[in-house]
Amino acid sequence: MGATFKICCCYVAILVAASSALAFSPSALNTNIRATTSTSALFATANDNENVAVAITKNDDIDSRLRRHLVLSLLATVSASAVPFDADATTTTTDSNVETSSLTSAAEVVKLLKPPLDQREYETYELPNGLKVLLCSDPTSTSAAVGMNVHVGACSDPVEIPGLAHFCEHMLFLGTEKYPEEDSFAKFLSANGGYNNAFTDSEKTVYFFEVDGSIDKRFSEALLRFGSFFSGPLFTESATGRELNAIDSENAKNLQNDIFRLYELEKDRVNSDHPFSKFFTGNKKTLLEGTKRQGINLRNELVKFYESYYSSNQMSLAVVAPQSLPQLRKYVSDAFGDIPNRQIKPPEDKWAFNVQPYLAGKSKIPAEKSIVEIVPIQDLRQVTITWPIVFSSKEERELYRLNKPDYFVASLLGHEGAGSLLSYLKEQRWANALGASDNADLSDFGTFEVTVELTPKGLNAIDDVCEAIFSYIQMMKTNPIPNYVFDENLQLDELEWRFTTKGQPTNYVQSLVTAMDKFPPSLYIAGPRRVALLETPTTLISSDQPRTSFKSNEQREILKSASTDLVNRLTVDNSFLTVFSKSFEGQTTQNEEWYGTAYNVKPVSMSSLMRWKNPGSFPLFYPRQNIFIPSEKGLKVNKKPKKVDQKALTFEEKIKPIPPPTIIRDDGDEGRWTVHFKEDDRFGKPKAFLIFQLLTDELYSSPTKAVLGMLYQQSAGDKMNEETYDARLAGLTYDSQVLPRGVRLTFGGYNDKLGSFAAYVSSKLARNLDDSLPKDEEEFERYKDNLLRALSAFNVKEPYGHAIYYSSLTMQPRNFVYSNQQMVAALKETSLPELVDYVKTLWASGKGEALLQGNINKKEALDIVASIDRTLAFKTITPEQYPKRLKALPLPTRGSDRAVTRLSISEPNPSNKNAASQITLQCLQTSEKAHILIEIISAIIEEPLFNELRTKQQLGYIVSSGVKGVDQSRFLAAIVQSNVAPAEKLTSSILKFLDGVRDKLILPLNSVDIELYVKGLVDKRLEPDKQLAVEVTRNWSEIATGRFQFDRLQAEVAALLDISKDDILEFWDELYNSDSSRMLVTEIVPRAGQASSKEPALSGNGKMLGINDIDNLRAAGESSLA
């Protein structure tokens, strides 16, 4: 469903797949990063082009917002969705009967509705101080996660101090009365395999952490430390002064981010008397200069804000941990029972339903019937129509949440099949993509939006595009939405509910505490995950069993009525438009106050308004009935997992390797296929994954071929989209990827129709080439334009992203990863005839590798492979023709002079005033011992690096470290981005920190310290897989890389158990302190601002390198491997 905007802060990790040009898809635009300082969070993606085709993702809040605002579908690879999501934040409890809007009293016993496959125990109650609590006992896990939702957000900032709520959130991490040391909580978590973070939203502030929960004493201490945030934070003068720099750096990081820039303009269209219109992030101008100018004591205001809003009766706590419910109850009481209950009312009571969210003449920018034209940072081209959904009462708001009419209306406006709005817009050559969803989500109003990613032709036809949108809305008003639309949405939603399993615990607790603010207790888990939450107008659903139909016609009519009401609100007079385009550059007359965004405002012309109110007739229809929804018979599970006693597994049980896939077809080195297979008996879902790769070195042997492969992926995905959309809605997904070692097809979903779906798609892709190619030059130029804009988006990535990208580039062979500049240059020269000729070679020859795993038997697997083989009909190749495997290129050694090779590059975005520096330490050893030692080092330095460079020195908001792999090598990287210090200063500060690691961090370690680090890494490796897709991903990684070490995790655990302090010291000396240490410094130098310095030369000499030296550095690495 929809999302609200979050200001994420504190411990930041940057999830950037910057080492691959393929990273520049819409998801690469996500800079609203909610992340961690976990060991490998920053550099988690190993072997970007080689390792894994299967990505486990879900369209979470951030994804849906991106789809809405930046629907830019450039390079929209389906690889992420090739694995049907298993709800990352999804899992729960059992039966309830509660009246509609009235929350259950504290004394009432509440049974929560939970997915059928969830065997965990739950309990919800209130502490005597009014704190709402939700406990989840999961004895099979070693991880624990905790979330706290404080029901106050940036809307409650004092008018004179924008950003105070966000600043308060930062300050809670910097010492409490019980634990005064500023970094004590982070240090404790780091030593126990954990991490923490927080974010400030418009009406809530959410704090959360994850930690090893297997040791009762340590976990109870983690809760005590966390609880002290809310009972006795210090707000010291020194920390207050220093943390202002972090807020300012965070704001500076976002200044060149289109999402933040658009969000601020959205708020400028709100009534200036409404709190949503405030500037939420804050910076030095608002928090330091503004308060000084007004004679305000900032620390006093922080304390006042905390004491005014941080009250236990306005907080919700969720705990997911291995302990029993009685144990958890005691721990929670001890840790959170003394949070003061100040008996405060919900903050929104001061303004909700009293202040109109939108009011003509009362906003900085007009809303209704106006257009805002924005110059984006990235080369975006899109139009958004927004409708405010204003509620008259709390009861109306609650009913809207329970009925979710936006879910049903968005499913129609955002449909992508035949007869859809998108289908028509594409036929007119006006659109590349379309998204519909809710957006703002406040107590008194929300917004509903339709966003269209435009072609150049569409940009000149915005009136026509909007007319088509209003024509579809008119159809929904005059022709009632068919019953089957509601029936199918219910079926699809309940399918996901039925087969939901455990996800990542930190995401889960965030989801739970957010839901605790929005839904009655019985729906804390089911509320965000199910539709049709009312059985009658006054009664909530009371069963957690999956439904295949509505309980009654009355229940369906409730949703139809709510949806009709929403559609009736989507009027021309109630709408406003936002247009993104670089074509407005140099033609704007206004600049937004906080981000400097250039924009124009103009009224929608009367002729346009009249046209949209009386739209013409268009070939638009409701979706056809979905034939891909699996039948009940097709949902049969072949091998049900053994009933697992809900107890903690013993170490011996955990260390036992999971049975690997077996080879069920081997045609020999010169034959057609090597097929790996495993029938699932662990997860009990009627799902499977099919991965087929044709190995060949012909498809990626030059930048031109690489971009032709990317054009093919985009063209095929776009051309197949309409035909496969219903299948994707029903949980069937596919992905085609052109990779350095060949072409790969991945299929996933309910196995009922998976085989026939795979056969159909592969036939379309491999045989009916016209179905996957542009039909003319105009369409080819559309795809080329999309791809060129996507690749060009590289230039406006954050400097830390550029540092990560260039560092990674130096360690990968030139025929595996081409530079962004090479790709852009090659793309500009490509033609449609070249693409046609290229596609004819895709499936011509190669060696087939496959993995089929899930709810299918051996015979079914062999039949599917035979079908795919007949379709592809490729010629075989000899082993000599197999493509080379990825091998990591060695970085330069330090040498006897101990000098470090430095790569200094000018920041390509002249408007970005942030500097960045990354130091990379490379380990080429391939043993399990070396791999776990570098992770231990990473765990040791992680928190001290953050504390020293971020908390104490305040060099920048982004300070992080982590481990990543290229082939079987590993490297440890530390990165800092700053708007106040030049790159050279960042580099010297990181190096100074690393110089002290041996004496300050490793030598003082005692045996208990080492045991804790080891235990944290052991537990991460032995944590049971929560989803089939995780195991499939790991197995395919071993197959695709040719390692075939399916018990890798267990082997690394064995190595961990033998680690000594001497091993750590010896490894660190070799990694950092020896003449043979392999290191690289990558600096990104801005062209202006406080962090700028002398512009780097394009080419250097010796150990001082420029951007033009990268190719020679890679060539030298390749020669050393020859």
Side-chain angles (χ1 to χ4, degrees), residues 636-667:
K636 180 184 176 183
V637 175
N638 296 337
K639 288 188 176 182
K640 294 186 177 180
K642 298 174 183 177
K643 284 285 184 182
V644 179
D645 185 18
Q646 285 290 298
K647 64 178 181 62
L649 298 175
T650 65
F651 180 77
E652 289 72 21
E653 290 171 321
K654 289 182 179 180
I655 198 70
K656 185 178 179 181
I658 299 166
T662 58
I663 295 176
I664 59 171
R665 175 173 169 177
D666 187 354
D667 298 339

mmCIF file of all heavy atoms in Angstrom, residues 636-667:
data_model
loop_
_atom_site.group_PDB
_atom_site.id
_atom_site.type_symbol
_atom_site.label_atom_id
_atom_site.label_comp_id
_atom_site.label_asym_id
_atom_site.label_seq_id
_atom_site.Cartn_x
_atom_site.Cartn_y
_atom_site.Cartn_z
ATOM 1 N N LYS A 636 -1.232 -27.662 -3.883
ATOM 2 C CA LYS A 636 -0.831 -28.818 -3.082
ATOM 3 C C LYS A 636 0.678 -28.836 -2.885
ATOM 4 O O LYS A 636 1.445 -28.614 -3.812
ATOM 5 C CB LYS A 636 -1.273 -30.114 -3.768
ATOM 6 C CG LYS A 636 -0.892 -31.368 -3.016
ATOM 7 C CD LYS A 636 -1.287 -32.625 -3.798
ATOM 8 C CE LYS A 636 -0.824 -33.880 -3.089
ATOM 9 N NZ LYS A 636 -1.145 -35.098 -3.874
ATOM 10 N N VAL A 637 1.101 -29.121 -1.663
ATOM 11 C CA VAL A 637 2.530 -29.224 -1.346
ATOM 12 C C VAL A 637 2.940 -30.687 -1.387
ATOM 13 O O VAL A 637 2.331 -31.534 -0.728
ATOM 14 C CB VAL A 637 2.826 -28.625 0.047
ATOM 15 C CG1 VAL A 637 4.277 -28.847 0.424
ATOM 16 C CG2 VAL A 637 2.478 -27.137 0.061
ATOM 17 N N ASN A 638 3.978 -30.977 -2.183
ATOM 18 C CA ASN A 638 4.408 -32.368 -2.365
ATOM 19 C C ASN A 638 4.992 -32.969 -1.099
ATOM 20 O O ASN A 638 4.624 -34.059 -0.668
ATOM 21 C CB ASN A 638 5.438 -32.463 -3.499
ATOM 22 C CG ASN A 638 4.842 -32.070 -4.841
ATOM 23 O OD1 ASN A 638 3.634 -32.131 -5.032
ATOM 24 N ND2 ASN A 638 5.694 -31.645 -5.759
ATOM 25 N N LYS A 639 5.932 -32.256 -0.514
ATOM 26 C CA LYS A 639 6.612 -32.746 0.690
ATOM 27 C C LYS A 639 6.451 -31.709 1.791
ATOM 28 O O LYS A 639 7.109 -30.672 1.767
ATOM 29 C CB LYS A 639 8.092 -32.991 0.421
ATOM 30 C CG LYS A 639 8.389 -34.198 -0.442
ATOM 31 C CD LYS A 639 9.905 -34.456 -0.483
ATOM 32 C CE LYS A 639 10.243 -35.718 -1.251
ATOM 33 N NZ LYS A 639 11.702 -35.988 -1.257
ATOM 34 N N LYS A 640 5.585 -32.006 2.717
ATOM 35 C CA LYS A 640 5.402 -31.074 3.811
ATOM 36 C C LYS A 640 6.577 -31.167 4.779
ATOM 37 O O LYS A 640 7.072 -32.252 5.055
ATOM 38 C CB LYS A 640 4.082 -31.354 4.528
ATOM 39 C CG LYS A 640 2.872 -31.081 3.638
ATOM 40 C CD LYS A 640 1.571 -31.212 4.411
ATOM 41 C CE LYS A 640 0.399 -30.866 3.495
ATOM 42 N NZ LYS A 640 -0.902 -30.980 4.200
ATOM 43 N N PRO A 641 7.037 -30.016 5.266
ATOM 44 C CA PRO A 641 8.177 -30.057 6.198
ATOM 45 C C PRO A 641 7.813 -30.794 7.471
ATOM 46 O O PRO A 641 6.651 -30.828 7.880
ATOM 47 C CB PRO A 641 8.466 -28.580 6.469
ATOM 48 C CG PRO A 641 7.220 -27.866 6.101
ATOM 49 C CD PRO A 641 6.553 -28.670 5.032
ATOM 50 N N LYS A 642 8.839 -31.386 8.055
ATOM 51 C CA LYS A 642 8.610 -32.065 9.325
ATOM 52 C C LYS A 642 8.177 -31.050 10.370
ATOM 53 O O LYS A 642 8.650 -29.917 10.404
ATOM 54 C CB LYS A 642 9.894 -32.760 9.786
ATOM 55 C CG LYS A 642 10.378 -33.843 8.826
ATOM 56 C CD LYS A 642 11.728 -34.388 9.284
ATOM 57 C CE LYS A 642 12.258 -35.428 8.299
ATOM 58 N NZ LYS A 642 13.602 -35.913 8.673
ATOM 59 N N LYS A 643 7.259 -31.470 11.199
ATOM 60 C CA LYS A 643 6.808 -30.588 12.267
ATOM 61 C C LYS A 643 7.977 -30.245 13.173
ATOM 62 O O LYS A 643 8.612 -31.128 13.758
ATOM 63 C CB LYS A 643 5.703 -31.267 13.085
ATOM 64 C CG LYS A 643 4.347 -31.285 12.376
ATOM 65 C CD LYS A 643 3.719 -29.906 12.417
ATOM 66 C CE LYS A 643 2.319 -29.933 11.786
ATOM 67 N NZ LYS A 643 1.728 -28.576 11.782
ATOM 68 N N VAL A 644 8.287 -28.970 13.240
ATOM 69 C CA VAL A 644 9.416 -28.528 14.051
ATOM 70 C C VAL A 644 8.919 -28.107 15.415
ATOM 71 O O VAL A 644 8.047 -27.252 15.537
ATOM 72 C CB VAL A 644 10.151 -27.351 13.375
ATOM 73 C CG1 VAL A 644 11.310 -26.881 14.236
ATOM 74 C CG2 VAL A 644 10.641 -27.755 11.994
ATOM 75 N N ASP A 645 9.457 -28.743 16.416
ATOM 76 C CA ASP A 645 9.130 -28.351 17.772
ATOM 77 C C ASP A 645 9.646 -26.928 17.992
ATOM 78 O O ASP A 645 10.783 -26.612 17.647
ATOM 79 C CB ASP A 645 9.793 -29.325 18.753
ATOM 80 C CG ASP A 645 9.388 -29.037 20.193
ATOM 81 O OD1 ASP A 645 8.378 -28.341 20.386
ATOM 82 O OD2 ASP A 645 10.100 -29.500 21.100
ATOM 83 N N GLN A 646 8.788 -26.067 18.518
ATOM 84 C CA GLN A 646 9.177 -24.670 18.704
ATOM 85 C C GLN A 646 10.152 -24.547 19.877
ATOM 86 O O GLN A 646 9.838 -24.041 20.938
ATOM 87 C CB GLN A 646 7.929 -23.818 18.930
ATOM 88 C CG GLN A 646 7.134 -23.583 17.676
ATOM 89 C CD GLN A 646 7.863 -22.660 16.710
ATOM 90 O OE1 GLN A 646 8.129 -21.514 17.037
ATOM 91 N NE2 GLN A 646 8.187 -23.140 15.536
ATOM 92 N N LYS A 647 11.339 -25.010 19.632
ATOM 93 C CA LYS A 647 12.389 -24.877 20.633
ATOM 94 C C LYS A 647 13.664 -24.460 19.921
ATOM 95 O O LYS A 647 13.771 -24.557 18.706
ATOM 96 C CB LYS A 647 12.630 -26.217 21.358
ATOM 97 C CG LYS A 647 13.163 -27.313 20.422
ATOM 98 C CD LYS A 647 13.441 -28.595 21.170
ATOM 99 C CE LYS A 647 13.989 -29.689 20.245
ATOM 100 N NZ LYS A 647 15.259 -29.353 19.628
ATOM 101 N N ALA A 648 14.578 -23.960 20.680
ATOM 102 C CA ALA A 648 15.846 -23.568 20.084
ATOM 103 C C ALA A 648 16.592 -24.808 19.604
ATOM 104 O O ALA A 648 16.707 -25.801 20.322
ATOM 105 C CB ALA A 648 16.690 -22.814 21.114
ATOM 106 N N LEU A 649 17.081 -24.746 18.374
ATOM 107 C CA LEU A 649 17.858 -25.860 17.849
ATOM 108 C C LEU A 649 19.199 -25.927 18.558
ATOM 109 O O LEU A 649 19.782 -24.913 18.936
ATOM 110 C CB LEU A 649 18.079 -25.672 16.343
ATOM 111 C CG LEU A 649 16.830 -25.638 15.468
ATOM 112 C CD1 LEU A 649 17.215 -25.310 14.033
ATOM 113 C CD2 LEU A 649 16.099 -26.964 15.524
ATOM 114 N N THR A 650 19.696 -27.117 18.744
ATOM 115 C CA THR A 650 21.021 -27.274 19.343
ATOM 116 C C THR A 650 22.075 -26.887 18.322
ATOM 117 O O THR A 650 21.817 -26.817 17.108
ATOM 118 C CB THR A 650 21.258 -28.725 19.778
ATOM 119 O OG1 THR A 650 21.275 -29.557 18.607
ATOM 120 C CG2 THR A 650 20.159 -29.193 20.732
ATOM 121 N N PHE A 651 23.284 -26.641 18.806
ATOM 122 C CA PHE A 651 24.378 -26.292 17.898
ATOM 123 C C PHE A 651 24.624 -27.418 16.904
ATOM 124 O O PHE A 651 24.873 -27.183 15.715
ATOM 125 C CB PHE A 651 25.651 -26.007 18.698
ATOM 126 C CG PHE A 651 26.828 -25.633 17.835
ATOM 127 C CD1 PHE A 651 26.920 -24.359 17.297
ATOM 128 C CD2 PHE A 651 27.820 -26.558 17.540
ATOM 129 C CE1 PHE A 651 27.995 -24.014 16.487
ATOM 130 C CE2 PHE A 651 28.892 -26.222 16.737
ATOM 131 C CZ PHE A 651 28.977 -24.945 16.211
ATOM 132 N N GLU A 652 24.545 -28.649 17.369
ATOM 133 C CA GLU A 652 24.764 -29.795 16.485
ATOM 134 C C GLU A 652 23.730 -29.840 15.374
ATOM 135 O O GLU A 652 24.035 -30.181 14.232
ATOM 136 C CB GLU A 652 24.730 -31.103 17.290
ATOM 137 C CG GLU A 652 25.928 -31.319 18.211
ATOM 138 C CD GLU A 652 25.927 -30.399 19.423
ATOM 139 O OE1 GLU A 652 24.826 -29.874 19.783
ATOM 140 O OE2 GLU A 652 27.009 -30.170 19.989
ATOM 141 N N GLU A 653 22.481 -29.473 15.717
ATOM 142 C CA GLU A 653 21.427 -29.452 14.691
ATOM 143 C C GLU A 653 21.662 -28.336 13.679
ATOM 144 O O GLU A 653 21.449 -28.506 12.472
ATOM 145 C CB GLU A 653 20.064 -29.281 15.368
ATOM 146 C CG GLU A 653 19.615 -30.505 16.160
ATOM 147 C CD GLU A 653 18.381 -30.229 16.984
ATOM 148 O OE1 GLU A 653 18.261 -29.116 17.557
ATOM 149 O OE2 GLU A 653 17.529 -31.119 17.079
ATOM 150 N N LYS A 654 22.129 -27.210 14.180
ATOM 151 C CA LYS A 654 22.347 -26.075 13.277
ATOM 152 C C LYS A 654 23.552 -26.276 12.372
ATOM 153 O O LYS A 654 23.562 -25.830 11.220
ATOM 154 C CB LYS A 654 22.540 -24.792 14.097
ATOM 155 C CG LYS A 654 21.284 -24.294 14.764
ATOM 156 C CD LYS A 654 21.576 -23.005 15.515
ATOM 157 C CE LYS A 654 20.330 -22.461 16.182
ATOM 158 N NZ LYS A 654 20.593 -21.216 16.924
ATOM 159 N N ILE A 655 24.587 -26.914 12.871
ATOM 160 C CA ILE A 655 25.819 -27.065 12.104
ATOM 161 C C ILE A 655 25.684 -28.122 11.025
ATOM 162 O O ILE A 655 26.495 -28.203 10.093
ATOM 163 C CB ILE A 655 27.008 -27.412 13.044
ATOM 164 C CG1 ILE A 655 28.356 -27.154 12.361
ATOM 165 C CG2 ILE A 655 26.925 -28.832 13.519
ATOM 166 C CD1 ILE A 655 28.670 -25.718 12.144
ATOM 167 N N LYS A 656 24.642 -28.925 11.118
ATOM 168 C CA LYS A 656 24.441 -29.972 10.124
ATOM 169 C C LYS A 656 24.122 -29.340 8.773
ATOM 170 O O LYS A 656 23.184 -28.569 8.640
ATOM 171 C CB LYS A 656 23.290 -30.889 10.554
ATOM 172 C CG LYS A 656 23.081 -32.084 9.631
ATOM 173 C CD LYS A 656 21.951 -32.966 10.144
ATOM 174 C CE LYS A 656 21.720 -34.150 9.212
ATOM 175 N NZ LYS A 656 20.589 -35.001 9.690
ATOM 176 N N PRO A 657 24.916 -29.659 7.739
ATOM 177 C CA PRO A 657 24.694 -29.038 6.425
ATOM 178 C C PRO A 657 23.315 -29.365 5.865
ATOM 179 O O PRO A 657 22.775 -30.456 6.061
ATOM 180 C CB PRO A 657 25.802 -29.641 5.553
ATOM 181 C CG PRO A 657 26.841 -30.118 6.509
ATOM 182 C CD PRO A 657 26.094 -30.547 7.740
ATOM 183 N N ILE A 658 22.743 -28.408 5.168
ATOM 184 C CA ILE A 658 21.477 -28.629 4.472
ATOM 185 C C ILE A 658 21.772 -29.459 3.226
ATOM 186 O O ILE A 658 22.727 -29.168 2.496
ATOM 187 C CB ILE A 658 20.853 -27.281 4.075
ATOM 188 C CG1 ILE A 658 20.581 -26.446 5.332
ATOM 189 C CG2 ILE A 658 19.585 -27.480 3.258
ATOM 190 C CD1 ILE A 658 20.281 -25.004 5.037
ATOM 191 N N PRO A 659 21.014 -30.499 2.953
ATOM 192 C CA PRO A 659 21.268 -31.299 1.744
ATOM 193 C C PRO A 659 21.308 -30.417 0.500
ATOM 194 O O PRO A 659 20.400 -29.604 0.282
ATOM 195 C CB PRO A 659 20.087 -32.273 1.704
ATOM 196 C CG PRO A 659 19.652 -32.387 3.134
ATOM 197 C CD PRO A 659 19.887 -31.040 3.737
ATOM 198 N N PRO A 660 22.351 -30.532 -0.308
ATOM 199 C CA PRO A 660 22.496 -29.670 -1.485
ATOM 200 C C PRO A 660 21.669 -30.190 -2.665
ATOM 201 O O PRO A 660 21.156 -31.315 -2.628
ATOM 202 C CB PRO A 660 23.991 -29.766 -1.791
ATOM 203 C CG PRO A 660 24.348 -31.153 -1.368
ATOM 204 C CD PRO A 660 23.502 -31.437 -0.147
ATOM 205 N N PRO A 661 21.565 -29.396 -3.713
ATOM 206 C CA PRO A 661 20.935 -29.901 -4.938
ATOM 207 C C PRO A 661 21.772 -31.052 -5.513
ATOM 208 O O PRO A 661 22.977 -31.144 -5.283
ATOM 209 C CB PRO A 661 20.971 -28.690 -5.884
ATOM 210 C CG PRO A 661 21.213 -27.511 -5.013
ATOM 211 C CD PRO A 661 21.996 -28.001 -3.842
ATOM 212 N N THR A 662 21.113 -31.912 -6.257
ATOM 213 C CA THR A 662 21.812 -33.004 -6.940
ATOM 214 C C THR A 662 21.721 -32.792 -8.445
ATOM 215 O O THR A 662 20.818 -32.105 -8.940
ATOM 216 C CB THR A 662 21.187 -34.364 -6.578
ATOM 217 O OG1 THR A 662 19.805 -34.349 -6.936
ATOM 218 C CG2 THR A 662 21.313 -34.641 -5.083
ATOM 219 N N ILE A 663 22.656 -33.389 -9.159
ATOM 220 C CA ILE A 663 22.640 -33.300 -10.622
ATOM 221 C C ILE A 663 21.728 -34.399 -11.161
ATOM 222 O O ILE A 663 21.944 -35.577 -10.906
ATOM 223 C CB ILE A 663 24.058 -33.444 -11.195
ATOM 224 C CG1 ILE A 663 24.923 -32.256 -10.740
ATOM 225 C CG2 ILE A 663 24.021 -33.527 -12.721
ATOM 226 C CD1 ILE A 663 26.379 -32.347 -11.187
ATOM 227 N N ILE A 664 20.694 -33.986 -11.889
ATOM 228 C CA ILE A 664 19.748 -34.975 -12.429
ATOM 229 C C ILE A 664 19.878 -35.122 -13.953
ATOM 230 O O ILE A 664 19.244 -35.986 -14.544
ATOM 231 C CB ILE A 664 18.293 -34.623 -12.072
ATOM 232 C CG1 ILE A 664 17.911 -33.239 -12.612
ATOM 233 C CG2 ILE A 664 18.073 -34.688 -10.568
ATOM 234 C CD1 ILE A 664 16.426 -32.923 -12.491
ATOM 235 N N ARG A 665 20.673 -34.269 -14.529
ATOM 236 C CA ARG A 665 20.973 -34.421 -15.957
ATOM 237 C C ARG A 665 22.356 -33.849 -16.207
ATOM 238 O O ARG A 665 22.625 -32.691 -15.894
ATOM 239 C CB ARG A 665 19.948 -33.699 -16.830
ATOM 240 C CG ARG A 665 20.303 -33.723 -18.326
ATOM 241 C CD ARG A 665 19.184 -33.153 -19.183
ATOM 242 N NE ARG A 665 19.624 -32.941 -20.558
ATOM 243 C CZ ARG A 665 18.866 -32.502 -21.556
ATOM 244 N NH1 ARG A 665 17.573 -32.220 -21.320
ATOM 245 N NH2 ARG A 665 19.349 -32.318 -22.774
ATOM 246 N N ASP A 666 23.219 -34.665 -16.757
ATOM 247 C CA ASP A 666 24.584 -34.235 -17.064
ATOM 248 C C ASP A 666 24.936 -34.737 -18.454
ATOM 249 O O ASP A 666 25.192 -35.923 -18.649
ATOM 250 C CB ASP A 666 25.564 -34.776 -16.023
ATOM 251 C CG ASP A 666 26.971 -34.208 -16.203
ATOM 252 O OD1 ASP A 666 27.196 -33.490 -17.201
ATOM 253 O OD2 ASP A 666 27.833 -34.493 -15.354
ATOM 254 N N ASP A 667 24.941 -33.837 -19.409
ATOM 255 C CA ASP A 667 25.215 -34.210 -20.799
ATOM 256 C C ASP A 667 26.693 -34.166 -21.147
ATOM 257 O O ASP A 667 27.064 -34.280 -22.319
ATOM 258 C CB ASP A 667 24.450 -33.273 -21.745
ATOM 259 C CG ASP A 667 22.934 -33.367 -21.567
ATOM 260 O OD1 ASP A 667 22.476 -34.391 -21.026
ATOM 261 O OD2 ASP A 667 22.230 -32.421 -21.964
#
